Amino acid sequence: MAHFFSDKAIENFKTVQTPFYYYNTELLKKTLQVATSEAKKYDYHIHYAVKANANQQILSIIREAGVGADCVSGGEIQAALKAGFSAEKIVFAGVGKADWEINLGLDENIFCFNAESIPELEVINELAAKKSKTAQIALRINPEVDAHTHHHITTGTKENKFGINLDQLDGVLNKLQTLASLKLIGIHFHIGSQLLETEPFFMLCKRTLEIQEQLAKRGISLENINFGGGLGIDYNDPDNHLIPDFKTYFEIFHKHFPVKSGQQVHFEPGRSIVGQCGALISKVLYVKEGSFKKFAVLDAGFTELIRPALYDAYHKIENLTSDEAEETYDVVGPICESSDCFGKALTLNKAHRGDIFALRSAGAYGEIMASQYNCRKLPEAYFI
Ligand SMILES: *Cc1c(COP(=O)(O)O)cnc(C)c1O
């Protein structure tokens, strides 16, 4: 199997100011090809979740694959439009949409607002009425399915701030009937992220069928069913699973959710599209001997990649410039916070000042979450 990093790429890394993001765009294109061809088997529609990575070059490649965009802010709608996504392929989700963001969506005639509460529906209705427009609405429903993922990235249980709870759905539908500038076109779910089991998706299908039946009793038929994102990636062994198993993923929905005629089914993958194609490249500043352990101190910190500090996330770390016998290190960054640690007691080829370390599987929720804490510069991005 071809290595993720060519020898030439590693030579180039030595000459460039670190830290920076490196994207393997060939892998991104292959991943998109697999995702879109598997979705096409069942006529499923894909909207890429822009929040995973909104780098303009990445967005352009994704747009070229023919998919739409799932946005969770006005800024993301602007980023998607700038990258050439057409407005009729943009959906807008989020629990806290500001008025200017709703107005932007209305002015651009985006496909759909995924709405989550009665007060939000009232505001979209009012703003749409002012423009003499009708806003297309999908209700984001909290299906009360536990995604069995980290509690910071599970979204579909009753305790979460996201979505309309099932016991409140009737009230929301009653309200919706009074809002003349809204048109209900479907329902939307997103149960969490980094899901590696199929069971929550199966449960989601089951729940969706129940909800569909409940709505049919009120004479509502749903044109659009949006199952959100959430398909996980292999952070432990990226090289053997560079492309997530989209085939099995879509098969679950095909098997357990029979599509009605005239109905469209949508998905919003983020991480599974971009996660494996990116790596954070960093240099070892110092190898520091502690009293009972060794630290490899990198020039990248949680300002460049916050996932380990934020969600205890694991990123595989490789020393690209050493093949000496392995030693054990805590790999840490330069930020003045104890949580600025990428991993403890990791086994790596012996490290020296100047070695190049790669933090793998950093294409999703990496660069886009970078901050300037400690007055640091935002990282550059380079492409194969
Ligand atoms: C974050 C998010 C996604 C993407 O989730 P992934 O786990 O990255 O696939 C999709 N839809 C919505 C509404 C989201 O908030």
Side-chain angles (χ1 to χ4, degrees):
M1 206 193 96
H3 275 280
F4 185 81
F5 303 107
S6 66
D7 291 343
K8 182 146 176 275
I10 295 170
E11 278 312 303
N12 285 335
F13 291 167
K14 292 179 187 163
T15 67
V16 181
Q17 179 68 51
T18 48
F20 59 86
Y21 273 90
Y22 169 80
Y23 294 107
N24 184 330
T25 53
E26 288 310 309
L27 176 61
L28 175 60
K29 287 175 190 167
K30 266 189 219 152
T31 306
L32 284 161
Q33 204 272 324
V34 172
T36 53
S37 65
E38 291 298 330
K40 209 172 175 181
K41 283 186 188 166
Y42 315 114
D43 233 352
Y44 291 162
H45 299 258
I46 292 180
H47 296 262
Y48 164 68
V50 172
K51 76 172 192 282
N53 189 319
N55 182 298
Q56 279 290 313
Q57 296 195 54
I58 299 278
L59 286 183
S60 296
I61 292 169
I62 293 171
R63 191 252 308 147
E64 280 162 19
V67 305
D70 160 44
C71 299
V72 292
S73 72
E76 285 189 3
I77 295 175
Q78 288 163 337
L81 290 169
K82 191 172 159 204
F85 285 90
S86 63
E88 71 259 30
K89 280 191 175 176
I90 293 179
V91 296
F92 182 17
V95 68
K97 300 178 186 76
D99 294 19
W100 76 266
E101 296 175 307
I102 295 168
N103 279 325
L104 174 67
L106 291 167
D107 290 340
E108 297 291 344
N109 298 313
I110 61 166
F111 172 57
C112 186
F113 292 84
N114 296 336
E116 311 202 6
S117 68
I118 288 179
E120 182 194 340
L121 288 168
E122 287 171 338
V123 171
I124 300 174
N125 183 64
E126 187 190 316
L127 296 175
K130 269 192 203 147
K131 294 178 188 292
S132 305
K133 290 194 169 186
T134 303
Q136 304 213 96
I137 300 289
L139 293 178
R140 173 160 177 183
I141 298 171
N142 179 346
E144 291 161 29
V145 170
D146 189 348
H148 306 301
T149 181
H150 189 277
H151 64 281
H152 284 174
I153 49 177
T154 186
T155 54
T157 64
K158 249 192 181 153
E159 283 132 73
N160 290 121
K161 68 177 177 182
F162 296 107
I164 295 158
N165 290 335
L166 290 173
D167 54 5
Q168 297 172 319
L169 185 55
D170 263 318
V172 173
L173 291 168
N174 292 342
K175 182 74 200 184
L176 204 50
Q177 283 174 335
T178 70
L179 303 174
S181 299
L182 304 184
K183 180 179 181 227
L184 179 66
I185 64 162
I187 53 175
H188 172 233
F189 306 93
H190 175 66
I191 58 172
S193 204
Q194 184 55 15
L195 274 72
L196 294 169
E197 299 165 27
T198 55
E199 196 259 359
F201 294 124
F202 162 71
M203 287 302 295
L204 177 59
C205 291
K206 243 179 82 172
R207 200 47 61 77
T208 306
L209 289 170
E210 289 162 17
I211 294 166
Q212 186 164 268
E213 216 164 283
Q214 185 188 341
L215 297 191
K217 282 190 192 134
R218 297 184 59 129
I220 300 169
S221 65
L222 297 166
E223 277 165 66
N224 294 280
I225 307 287
N226 184 334
F227 287 117
L231 177 61
I233 63 172
D234 190 342
Y235 283 98
N236 295 310
D237 186 12
D239 284 323
N240 283 311
H241 300 102
L242 285 173
I243 299 180
D245 189 357
F246 290 100
K247 181 171 186 287
T248 304
Y249 175 65
F250 290 125
E251 267 170 9
I252 300 164
F253 290 92
H254 175 66
K255 225 162 137 187
H256 300 289
F257 185 82
V259 181
K260 295 192 171 174
S261 82
Q263 201 168 48
Q264 289 192 357
V265 176
H266 305 260
F267 292 88
E268 301 170 334
R271 186 190 314 273
S272 53
I273 299 287
V274 290
Q276 296 293 29
C277 83
L280 176 62
I281 306 300
S282 179
K283 255 187 199 135
V284 176
L285 293 174
Y286 306 102
V287 177
K288 176 176 168 175
E289 304 268 353
S291 307
F292 54 90
K293 53 162 98 169
K294 274 196 212 113
F295 297 95
V297 183
L298 303 186
D299 61 3
F302 72 44
T303 41
E304 286 71 41
L305 181 62
I306 200 174
R307 297 188 66 261
L310 190 60
Y311 323 113
D312 299 321
Y314 173 76
H315 286 266
K316 186 170 187 215
I317 300 178
E318 294 167 350
N319 184 346
L320 299 181
T321 48
S322 164
D323 52 14
E324 288 175 49
E326 292 178 329
E327 297 195 1
T328 303
Y329 301 94
D330 282 14
V331 178
V332 301
I335 309 301
C336 298
E337 301 281 346
S338 299
S339 61
D340 188 32
C341 174
F342 290 121
K344 291 194 167 149
L346 302 179
T347 309
L348 292 159
N349 293 108
K350 185 178 168 66
H352 322 77
R353 173 172 165 82
D355 275 351
I356 308 266
F357 274 28
L359 287 88
R360 299 290 306 277
S361 314
Y365 308 105
E367 186 189 355
I368 192 68
M369 283 195 179
S371 77
Q372 295 192 295
Y373 183 47
N374 287 187
C375 289
R376 287 167 63 81
K377 275 199 304 207
L378 290 174
E380 295 286 337
Y382 299 100
F383 302 82
I384 213 169

